[in-house]
Amino acid sequence: MAENNQNKTPDTGHEWDGIRELTNPPPRWWNIAFIMSFVWLVAYIIIYPSIPLVNDYTKGVMGWSALQEYKDAVAKNDAVRAPYIAKLEKMSAEEILGDQEMKNFADSYTKALFGDRCASCHGSNGQGVDDMFPVLNDDDWLYGGTLQDITDTIADGRLGFMSAFQGQLDEAELGQLADFVLNVSSGKATQAGWDAYNNAGCSGCHAEDATGNKWVGAPNLTDSIWRFGGSRDEVLHTIKFGVNQDGVEGTRSGVMPGFSEVLSANDIKLLTVRVWSLGGGQTE
Amino acid sequence: MAEQDKKTKSAGDIGDIYEEVHVVNVGGETIHAKRVSGRFRRYKDLVWVFWFSYLILPFLRIGGEQVVLFDIPARQFHFFGATIYPQDIWMLTFALILLAMMLFGITAIAGRIFCGFFCFQTVWTDWFVWIEEKIEGSPLQRRKLDKAPWNSEKITKRGIKYAIWSLISLVTGISFAAYFMDSYELLEDLVTFDAHIAAWVTLLSFFLGTFILAGFMREQVCFWLCPYARIQSVMVDRDSIIPSYDIPRGEPRGRLKKGVDNEQKGDCVDCNQCVAVCPTGVDIRQSALQEGCIMCGLCVDACDKVMEKIDKPKGLIRYASDNEIQGQVQPPLMRRPRVLIYLAISLASILAIVFGLASIPPLEMHVVHERQPLYVKMSDGSIQNSYTIKILNKLPEPLDVKVTVNGVEGANIIGLPDILTLQSAKVIPYTIRIRAKQDDMAAERVPVYFKVEALNDPTINEEHESFFAGPAR
């Protein structure tokens, strides 16, 4: 190129290693784009917020702001949800469960609520934490699995209670009880075991047939679900140190806080629907 | 002489690059081509019919249904009675491959004839120039008008021309937008200034695009804006038939003179008709394969006319391959690997599309296994898995179906009504559960098969595989 242009096109006098800088104008399309970008700039400054001032900034003639756009989008979303939410408020938990479309809406609505209030212990989908926090999507309920039971649990909370038997019974008797609990779950309990169970006073809470009592939250011992672990060591530990025993080192903790002061009755109702339908909801 | 002008004008310009090879008009002057009748002109006019149908198509209805409607908000494509859902959009891949292969194949066979005859840029430009000629007159008159001061005559002529161009651009934009929504509703919205912002933006961009690209930029779009024009050059080989000037026959060129021995001269009488009719300003005699040439064959028409007059055989400029001009044998079409490969891929794509269209399932089911927890142990020791199930009914009317599952002994579905009524084109996800005894599971994780079946017609069914998980063993 340099050779082609020799003595043809005037240059700026700059030359590096035989490469001359010519005075050719930039291409027309480039000039147009250059001018257009200035037009764009001016228009942008007029229309949109752009120049920072000391305590403020220029607002632009359209009054647009990112925050306002966000708020509008939220308001638009709320407007779509409003009729559903209003409808949900009027429906009972049973009615919501009977209407798949409303139930799906309630599920989406309570997803964040469940995540905020419940998931930290019970897991994001109610899967619980092994041996520490109860699973919500099985069909085993400490305090009952009907809609009313679940509502009560969420609203008022629950406090587990089991006496510590360390000291009241000797090692052999404690071991016998642990074996009984394991055997009764797999249906192989012996008469001696039943006697030890009744003599220790376990049947007072766990019922004479060991199926538990939802009024005090005593778990069913005959099923295959374990609240604090199903190995012999864990079972023995639970019997020894009890649940929520003041001043007992190593006692099990079983506390569910109440949410009636934090959540509206409607939110509790919708959470009840969610928990009930996680997998094991019971009818009256 | 025109060549001389260009050379001096384009000194130090981008035209320099092409100086050595042949002259290329890089937009320095407006090309006013002569319009001649002939065989290839007729072919071009026939293509107009196709593009007119593009303008009309969205406004046609069959039985109250818009014939072609790409309903993006509702995620449904209506195409001559068939409704295509996003789930079936994989066919689009093959449609695009087919179109690409057809373009490649036709280019290998006959060069850029897509550009010359079919491309909307060429066709719209053709319309615009046709209107220009009707209003402003012959190329000579148009060139004069370009140079004329802005007197009342020029203002009137240009005004009318721009008005008609605008009208075509407007119709182009409206027709395009009408493919994406109810076309008559769109017209009503536009007239009442009530249309959606997307419709206005589409309309404005198509209006400006058509007006500027077809009205002013014309062949420059093909020259430096269109990628296909450049890509296609590599698909042409020595066997591709492209508009070519028969050099051995034509040269040495020269005007016929009376009383002089014309025997020494070639058949080209240097009448420059081929240059005058070229819409892109190419002199085909310089070389067959040129950047500017869109291979529209108008120079062939022009040359044939002249040859007829001077009583020489037609075809001094004709569609011919490089090999043919050089006097070599042209291999038959089906012996050329490129043609065969393009053809094979095209046929495969057609088969895929036909198969796809013929087998669009009326029901579509998706089953997603709950990820956390994978399974739940129930109080009686059995294992329960949760799934989210979504069934789409693509039929126009509601459908009663039942869903069954097999794969695990004694497993049945909990949480789904026995008879499920699916509304048309509406998906409601259901959370369902399956419970089974751990002893009935052959492994820690076993496959299960969900099947949805219409109650009144068992041939309408769809299967979906998922899995059933249990505790580690």
Side-chain angles (χ1 to χ4, degrees), chain A residues 1 5 8-9 24 28 100-101 103-104 107 124-125 127 135 137-140 223-225 277-280, chain B residues 11-12 16-17 19 27 224 370 372-373 376-381 384 386 415 426 428-431 433 435:
Chain A
M1 281 299 280
N5 280 318
K8 252 193 192 172
T9 318
N24 283 331
R28 198 199 300 164
Q100 187 68 27
E101 197 180 350
K103 161 138 193 327
N104 283 337
D107 277 350
S124 57
N125 281 316
Q127 69 270 31
V135 178
N137 36 23
D138 61 21
D139 59 348
D140 183 39
D223 65 17
S224 42
I225 292 175
S277 54
L278 274 174
Chain B
D16 276 7
I17 304 167
E19 208 172 347
W224 59 263
E370 177 77 62
Q372 200 183 21
V376 175
K377 195 174 188 186
M378 304 310 276
S379 55
D380 63 353
Q384 178 168 287
S386 292
K426 191 174 180 183
I428 295 179
Y430 286 88
T431 303
R433 303 193 166 79
R435 208 177 284 184

Side-chain angles (χ1 to χ4, degrees), chain A residues 76-253:
Chain A
K76 211 172 154 188
N77 192 29
D78 284 347
V80 174
R81 286 161 41 134
Y84 284 91
I85 292 171
K87 202 173 159 193
L88 280 180
E89 297 223 15
K90 291 197 198 82
M91 292 170 88
S92 70
E94 288 89 347
E95 284 166 345
I96 295 169
L97 284 166
D99 182 336
Q100 187 68 27
E101 197 180 350
M102 293 309 288
K103 161 138 193 327
N104 283 337
F105 180 81
D107 277 350
S108 322
Y109 178 81
T110 51
K111 192 174 169 66
L113 204 57
F114 189 89
D116 288 348
R117 302 291 183 186
C118 318
S120 50
C121 294
H122 292 291
S124 57
N125 281 316
Q127 69 270 31
V129 176
D130 278 354
D131 309 340
M132 292 188 64
F133 300 108
V135 178
L136 297 183
N137 36 23
D138 61 21
D139 59 348
D140 183 39
W141 301 92
L142 293 170
Y143 297 93
T146 66
L147 287 167
Q148 189 55 52
D149 291 334
I150 295 169
T151 307
D152 291 347
T153 304
I154 298 173
D156 304 330
R158 299 290 187 185
L159 185 65
F161 176 88
M162 175 171 163
S163 305
F165 288 88
Q166 172 108 318
Q168 297 186 34
L169 303 170
D170 61 33
E171 267 318 298
E173 286 169 320
L174 287 168
Q176 195 183 11
L177 273 183
D179 289 333
F180 166 77
V181 171
L182 290 169
N183 287 336
V184 81
S185 167
S186 50
K188 293 181 290 199
T190 58
Q191 190 53 49
W194 280 109
D195 291 343
Y197 172 77
N198 286 319
N199 290 341
C202 306
S203 55
C205 291
H206 289 285
E208 285 184 11
D209 56 358
T211 53
N213 179 350
K214 75 169 185 173
W215 303 113
V216 292
N220 183 349
L221 300 179
T222 61
D223 65 17
S224 42
I225 292 175
W226 299 95
R227 173 69 181 88
F228 295 110
S231 70
R232 192 176 185 280
D233 283 351
E234 295 292 348
V235 171
L236 194 60
H237 184 101
T238 309
I239 298 171
K240 276 182 181 171
F241 304 110
V243 178
N244 293 337
Q245 292 299 300
D246 280 339
V248 178
E249 188 97 359
T251 189
R252 302 284 193 187
S253 168

